[in-house]
């Protein structure tokens, strides 16, 4: 039997399943506890050896649910969400803070989940796209993105929507932007303001004008 | 990313002591630059000291009417602070011109000062870079040098400092407050904080091993018209090709510094003294000694024009 004769369901174990298995096996090695870990890392490094990963416990409140994890210190918040909690709505684009696909709300503020470590956020409250709305009860921005066709491939969309939630919150708080003419005046959700405030979220399909329309619609509604 | 151990610091002095005594230790605050570089293994700390819990996140008025900004105040919070918007508008404008909202929500005041260059050869570990690997050479000088320095560089390095905030801090005469492992503190004028590359481009500031920035102090407000103008390859979310921070007083005197053109914010006393004489005189003195490459010679012309535009803008705002 050649590989082509195998039943599809055996071959196609799923890209995501393979990735998860890989991520788990990468951390399934003996690890030192945190106490003395600095010394262990240094001793191994000086000996020219690759030191074993350092594991730490971290509690995260994700979308209102408490999660206790034990993670390699190197785990970004993004990888904790995707690979450990399987909340794959938050996307990994560039993994360097340049594209915004990984945008989540940390204690209510939008951040790039790829550029922060999970262990730095013990006890923090994180909202991802999965926590904003459900298929039956969409967040107003989710509904507006659908109504205005604010996406094509959809990959940047969770980050765009989380970022838009953050942007509208920042406008409500009176935080100025680069294009605000008067630093002393309350900012308005004009298209110019929204374009500037959303510049940390790239869309390779180029759905920008529809994204701005969607956010504008929600910004215009009474809170 | 290389393996590292991690601790949360209890006090600033304890953080400084841990940094001094733990080999390969680095502080982490916002992490937006450090983690980017760790993923590329340009930074390879063996130990991270998280300073986020140190309660250095407040902005307070000083006894002499200035402003003390905690090292951990996020860029968004600092730009939006009422006293900064009112009295130090050049700082607010510079912060808002930098990065994206997501990054500004995380990035800290001290971290912004200490961010590393975005020279493409510093980022490409296959290329020679004296800043990344001391003594390895510089691929940038004979390479693609369009975004790089025209002032203050050396035969070893022509990287620029990427910060917008630091350029505003420079015209505001900020003082950088630090604590050392022995608990001793000092204030470093920002004019003395950055080192020119010379033969040691990997040594970027005068900070000593373990020394931790605790706050940045601004003298009392200067008044005048505050302008920050940034010229870049796209309208938002890009580093400066040239930027100008200026404070122009009603009598035509003032302060002016350039960003994007040198290893540190570029401010020259003789150029400022020429402010009442017009932008050509300012540019001539500020750009004296410029040493551009064929790729970045345009920056000198762009700087002249941006200075002229900023001075015209300030005059118009004064009405």
């Amino acid at each position: 039997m050649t590989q082509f004769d195998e039943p599809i369901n055996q071959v196609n174990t799923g890209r995501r399943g393979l990735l998860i298995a890989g991520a788990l096996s990468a951390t399934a090695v003996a690890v030192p506890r945190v106490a003395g870990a600095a010394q262990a890392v240094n001793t191994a490094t000086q000996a020219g050896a690759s030191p074993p990963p350092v594991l730490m416990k971290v509690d995260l409140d994700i979308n209102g649910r408490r999660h206790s994890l034990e993670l390699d210190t190197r785990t970004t918040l993004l990888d904790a969400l995707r690979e450990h909690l399987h909340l794959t709505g938050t996307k990994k684009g560039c993994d360097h803070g340049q594209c915004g696909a990984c945008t989540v709300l940390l204690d209510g503020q939008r951040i790039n989940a790829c550029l922060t470590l999970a262990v730095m956020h013990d006890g923090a409250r994180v909202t991802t796209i999965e926590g904003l709305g459900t298929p039956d009860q969409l967040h107003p921005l989710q509904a507006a993105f659908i109504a205005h066709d604010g996406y094509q491939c959809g990959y940047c969309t969770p980050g765009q929507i989380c970022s838009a939630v953050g942007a509208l919150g920042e406008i409500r708080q009176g935080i100025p932007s680069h294009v605000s003419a008067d630093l002393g005046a309350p900012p308005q959700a004009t298209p110019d303001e929204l374009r500037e405030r959303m510049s940390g979220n790239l869309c390779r399909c180029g759905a920008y004008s529809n994204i701005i329309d969607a956010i504008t619609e929600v910004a215009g509604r009474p809170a | 990313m290389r393996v590292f151990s991690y601790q949360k610091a209890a006090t600033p002095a304890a953080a400084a002591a841990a940094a001094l005594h733990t080999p390969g230790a680095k502080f982490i605050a916002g992490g937006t630059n450090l983690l980017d570089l760790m993923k590329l293994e340009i930074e390879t700390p063996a130990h991270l000291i998280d300073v986020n819990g140190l309660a250095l996140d407040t902005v307070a008025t000083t006894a002499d009417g200035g402003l003390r900004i905690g090292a951990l105040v996020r860029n968004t919070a600092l730009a939006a602070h009422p006293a900064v918007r009112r009295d130090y508008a050049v700082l607010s404008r510079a912060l808002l011109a930098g990065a994206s909202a997501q990054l500004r929500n995380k990035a800290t005041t001290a971290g912004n000062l200490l961010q590393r260059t975005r020279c493409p050869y510093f980022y490409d570990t296959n290329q020679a870079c004296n800043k990344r690997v001391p003594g390895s050479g510089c691929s940038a000088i004979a390479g693609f040098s369009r975004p790089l320095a025209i002032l203050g560089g050396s035969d070893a390095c022509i990287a620029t400092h990427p910060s917008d905030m630091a350029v505003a801090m420079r015209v505001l005469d900020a003082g950088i407050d630090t604590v050392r492992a022995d608990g001793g503190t000092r204030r470093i004028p920002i004019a003395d904080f950055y080192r020119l590359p010379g033969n040691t481009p990997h040594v970027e500031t005068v900070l000593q091993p373990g020394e931790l920035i605790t706050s940045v102090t601004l003298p009392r407000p200067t008044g005048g018209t505050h302008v920050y103008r940034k010229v870049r390859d796209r309208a938002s979310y890009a580093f400066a090709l040239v930027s100008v921070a200026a404070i122009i007083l009603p009598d035509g005197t003032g302060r002016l510094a350039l960003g994007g053109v040198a290893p540190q914010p570029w401010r020259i006393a003789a150029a400022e003294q020429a402010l009442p004489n017009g932008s050509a005189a300012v540019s001539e003195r500020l750009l004296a000694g410029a040493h551009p490459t064929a790729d970045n010679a345009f920056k000198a012309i762009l700087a002249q024009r941006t200075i002229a535009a900023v001075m015209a803008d300030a005059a118009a705002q004064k009405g």
Side-chain angles (χ1 to χ4, degrees):
Chain A
M1 192 171 88
T2 70
Q3 59 177 318
F4 301 108
D5 298 325
E6 290 179 64
I8 284 292
N9 63 357
Q10 284 181 22
V11 176
N12 189 10
T13 54
R15 186 180 61 90
R16 182 160 292 153
L18 288 171
L19 289 172
I20 291 167
L24 291 176
S25 64
T27 55
V29 289
V31 292
R33 302 304 311 171
V34 173
Q39 196 182 351
V41 171
N42 279 309
T43 306
T45 305
Q46 282 160 23
S50 184
V54 179
L55 290 195
M56 288 187 76
K57 283 187 163 29
V58 58
D59 286 347
L60 296 169
D61 176 335
I62 314 288
N63 301 329
R65 275 190 61 195
R66 193 83 171 171
H67 297 273
S68 294
L69 299 170
E70 187 165 33
L71 298 172
D72 186 325
T73 53
R74 293 173 291 179
T75 311
T76 60
L77 179 60
L78 174 61
D79 285 343
L81 292 170
R82 287 183 55 84
E83 306 297 340
H84 295 266
L85 298 171
H86 311 307
L87 291 167
T88 51
T90 306
K91 301 304 184 200
K92 181 180 281 191
C94 68
D95 208 24
H96 285 276
Q98 297 172 3
C99 76
C102 67
T103 302
V104 298
L105 299 161
L106 175 72
D107 296 323
Q109 281 196 316
R110 54 178 167 160
I111 63 156
N112 299 117
C114 74
L115 284 187
T116 196
L117 297 170
V119 293
M120 294 166 70
H121 297 293
D122 192 39
R125 186 170 53 88
V126 179
T127 304
T128 69
I129 190 71
E130 292 93 340
L132 282 180
T134 64
D136 297 329
Q137 200 162 6
L138 295 173
H139 184 279
L141 274 162
Q142 290 173 318
F145 268 64
I146 294 169
H148 290 272
D149 200 12
Y151 48 83
Q152 286 183 42
C153 82
Y155 195 80
C156 74
T157 311
Q160 298 277 3
I161 291 176
C162 285
S163 188
V165 171
L168 294 181
E170 287 156 15
I171 291 172
R172 276 196 299 275
Q173 292 168 52
I175 293 170
S177 86
H178 175 62
V179 300
S180 304
D182 180 355
L183 285 177
Q188 306 297 317
T190 62
D192 274 354
E193 282 280 359
L194 293 175
R195 271 192 287 273
E196 163 62 24
R197 289 168 189 270
M198 292 296 293
S199 71
N201 292 83
L202 305 189
C203 170
R204 284 183 61 178
C205 303
Y208 294 112
S209 59
N210 292 0
I211 290 170
I212 297 301
D213 288 349
I215 302 171
T216 300
E217 184 202 311
V218 174
R221 288 181 192 165
Chain B
M1 204 186 301
R2 303 274 182 89
V3 168
F4 58 86
S5 49
Y6 169 94
Q7 71 173 103
K8 291 184 196 296
T11 66
L20 182 66
H21 296 121
T22 314
K26 273 200 173 288
F27 301 120
I28 187 164
T32 53
N33 188 209
L34 181 59
L35 285 166
D36 178 29
L37 294 170
M38 285 169 64
K39 289 180 183 192
L40 298 167
E41 299 195 351
I42 294 165
E43 295 274 13
T44 55
H47 184 68
L48 285 184
I49 300 163
D50 184 344
V51 297
N52 282 293
L54 293 183
L56 302 171
D57 55 356
T58 56
V59 179
T61 307
T62 62
D64 61 355
L67 210 60
R68 182 160 49 247
I69 301 157
L72 295 170
V73 174
R74 309 290 152 167
N75 289 178
T76 298
L78 186 56
H81 193 280
V84 177
R85 285 200 256 178
R86 184 183 63 237
D87 297 329
Y88 304 97
V90 67
L91 177 57
S92 195
R93 287 292 183 195
L95 283 159
L96 295 171
S100 67
Q102 288 97 317
L103 292 169
R104 290 193 297 271
N105 281 343
K106 260 285 177 207
T108 64
T109 305
N112 189 315
L113 290 172
L114 294 176
Q115 66 181 301
R116 310 295 305 275
T117 186
R118 265 59 173 197
C119 174
Y121 298 90
F122 175 72
Y123 263 78
D124 183 348
T125 53
N126 295 308
Q127 301 283 348
C129 173
N130 288 317
K131 192 184 277 296
R132 177 166 34 76
V133 182
S136 65
C138 173
S139 296
I141 291 171
F144 174 75
S145 54
R146 179 176 178 273
L148 303 177
I150 60 171
L151 289 158
S154 69
D155 290 341
C157 183
I158 56 167
T160 58
H161 194 270
S163 173
D164 293 297
M165 185 196 80
V167 186
M169 292 288 197
R170 182 70 180 88
V171 295
L172 291 167
D173 283 333
I176 295 159
D177 307 312
T178 70
V179 63
R180 278 169 289 185
D182 62 3
T185 61
R186 63 169 171 160
R187 175 168 298 167
I188 306 164
I190 192 168
D192 303 332
F193 184 70
Y194 294 108
R195 292 171 46 129
L196 289 176
N199 291 320
T200 54
H202 58 292
V203 185
E204 295 173 351
T205 71
V206 299
L207 291 176
Q208 297 298 305
E211 192 170 8
L212 176 72
I213 299 175
T214 51
S215 59
V216 176
T217 300
L218 303 180
R220 56 186 306 158
T222 56
T225 302
H226 289 217
V227 182
Y228 188 79
R229 182 170 298 201
K230 179 175 182 178
V231 185
R232 45 187 159 175
D233 282 329
R234 56 188 187 197
S236 184
Y237 199 15
F239 290 98
L241 293 168
V242 167
S243 70
V244 175
I247 299 172
I248 307 296
L249 299 174
D251 65 1
T253 63
R255 308 173 182 185
L256 187 143
L258 290 175
V261 294
Q264 59 190 43
W266 200 254
R267 182 178 174 196
I268 302 290
E272 280 183 3
Q273 285 156 16
L275 275 168
N277 305 331
S279 71
V282 174
S283 292
E284 186 186 335
R285 297 181 188 193
L286 197 53
L287 298 167
H291 193 70
T293 64
D295 279 356
N296 66 19
F298 79 99
K299 282 195 176 188
I301 301 157
L302 188 58
Q304 290 168 31
R305 291 175 180 172
T306 311
I307 291 165
V310 162
M311 290 177 66
D313 185 13
Q317 281 190 45
K318 196 182 77 176

